């Protein structure tokens, strides 16, 4: 299955590079991103293979004598060079806020597909684990698109919805009216000393002891 998948990836990449790319690469953002993504699946597989080869090399096995290790190294160099080339072309032509999320989604999808075919770990996963994996992947995709879509947007009070602004103004108006009413009551209400002053004065004139 992996040999068939790798063959299809190489054929699709060559068609995109030599046929579709010169015609539509300057106008369609998906051409260069698809080239980077499908080749990225092979580059990740090559990295995993080289990691296993290095581990066996430290274990004392004659890995360097096997031609597969050198094939993986050469394939990794070619794949990474092609990815960098066409990713830079896409970034030069199109906006970075569009290239980055689309490339992440395409690249991660192709890598997951390649890993599922090569290692067959999906066959041993339960249904809830598969659903959880896809849910997490969709959550990451939505989050990346939202981050790149709103990274240049600055939220202020004027940008908030009208209902929120009305509620905030109503709350502030209620607080201000209550504060003004309290100040008005303090200014207009007579003091206790001013109310009792005439009675105390009249009592003192009549010689009443209660006045003192």
């Amino acid at each position: 299955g992996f040999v068939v998948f790798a063959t299809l990836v190489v054929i699709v990449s060559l068609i995109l590079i030599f046929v579709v790319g010169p015609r539509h690469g300057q106008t369609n953002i998906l051409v260069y991103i698809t080239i980077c993504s499908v080749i990225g699946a092979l580059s990740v597989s090559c990295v995993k293979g080289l990691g296993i080869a290095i581990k066996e090399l430290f274990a004392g096995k004659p890995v360097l004598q096997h031609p597969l290790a050198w094939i993986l190294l050469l394939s990794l160099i070619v794949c990474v060079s092609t990815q960098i080339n066409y990713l830079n072309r896409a970034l030069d032509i199109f906006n970075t806020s569009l290239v980055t999320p689309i490339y992440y989604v395409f690249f991660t999808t192709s890598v997951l597909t390649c890993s599922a075919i090569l290692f067959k770990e999906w066959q041993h996963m339960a249904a809830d684990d598969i659903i959880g994996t896809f849910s997490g992947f969709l959550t990451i995709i939505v989050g990346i698109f939202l981050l790149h879509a709103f990274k240049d947007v600055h939220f202020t009070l004027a940008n908030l919805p009208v209902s929120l602004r009305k509620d905030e103004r109503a709350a502030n108006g209620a607080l201000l009216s209550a504060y003004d009413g309290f100040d008005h009551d303090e200014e207009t209400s007579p003091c206790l000393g001013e109310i009792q002053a005439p009675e105390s004065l009249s009592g003192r004139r009549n010689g009443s002891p209660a006045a003192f």
Side-chain angles (χ1 to χ4, degrees):
F2 177 75
V3 175
V4 175
F5 176 78
T7 304
L8 291 177
V9 166
V10 172
I11 294 173
V12 171
S13 300
L14 292 176
I15 293 174
L16 291 174
I17 291 173
F18 295 104
V19 179
V20 182
R23 298 179 181 179
H24 307 285
Q26 301 293 326
T27 56
N28 195 338
I29 191 175
L30 297 179
V31 175
Y32 292 152
I33 293 178
T34 305
I35 295 173
C36 299
S37 301
V38 295
I39 294 179
L42 294 181
S43 64
V44 172
S45 302
C46 292
V47 169
K48 291 183 179 181
L50 286 176
I52 297 173
I54 293 173
K55 181 180 178 180
E56 293 182 353
L57 179 64
F58 284 115
K61 296 182 179 180
V63 178
L64 299 179
Q65 298 178 2
H66 201 282
L68 180 60
W70 300 104
I71 294 174
L72 291 175
L73 181 60
L74 180 62
S75 301
L76 179 62
I77 295 174
V78 173
C79 291
V80 172
S81 302
T82 307
Q83 281 183 263
I84 294 175
N85 181 22
Y86 286 97
L87 182 60
N88 288 330
R89 291 188 183 183
L91 292 174
D92 291 337
I93 299 172
F94 304 100
N95 191 1
T96 306
S97 60
L98 294 176
V99 174
T100 304
I102 296 175
Y103 174 67
Y104 176 82
V105 174
F106 278 47
F107 175 77
T108 309
T109 304
S110 62
V111 170
L112 289 176
T113 304
C114 181
S115 299
I117 295 174
L118 179 60
F119 297 101
K120 300 179 181 180
E121 68 269 13
W122 295 90
Q123 298 179 359
H124 305 287
M125 291 177 63
D128 54 349
D129 294 333
I130 296 175
I131 295 173
T133 302
F134 279 107
S135 300
F137 182 50
L138 291 176
T139 303
I140 294 174
I141 290 173
V142 173
I144 288 177
F145 271 99
L146 290 177
L147 285 174
H148 286 277
F150 295 101
K151 68 176 183 178
D152 296 329
V153 177
H154 302 285
F155 290 100
T156 60
L157 183 61
N159 295 330
L160 292 177
V162 180
S163 59
L164 295 178
R165 283 184 285 173
K166 287 182 178 179
D167 295 339
E168 185 174 355
R169 289 174 182 175
N172 293 333
L175 291 175
L176 290 176
S177 61
Y179 182 75
D180 293 338
F182 179 75
D183 290 343
H184 183 71
D185 293 339
E186 285 186 346
E187 293 175 357
T188 56
S189 60
C191 297
L192 182 61
E194 294 176 359
I195 296 175
Q196 296 177 353
E199 296 178 356
S200 61
L201 289 175
S202 61
R204 288 175 184 175
R205 289 174 182 176
N206 297 327
S208 176
F212 299 95

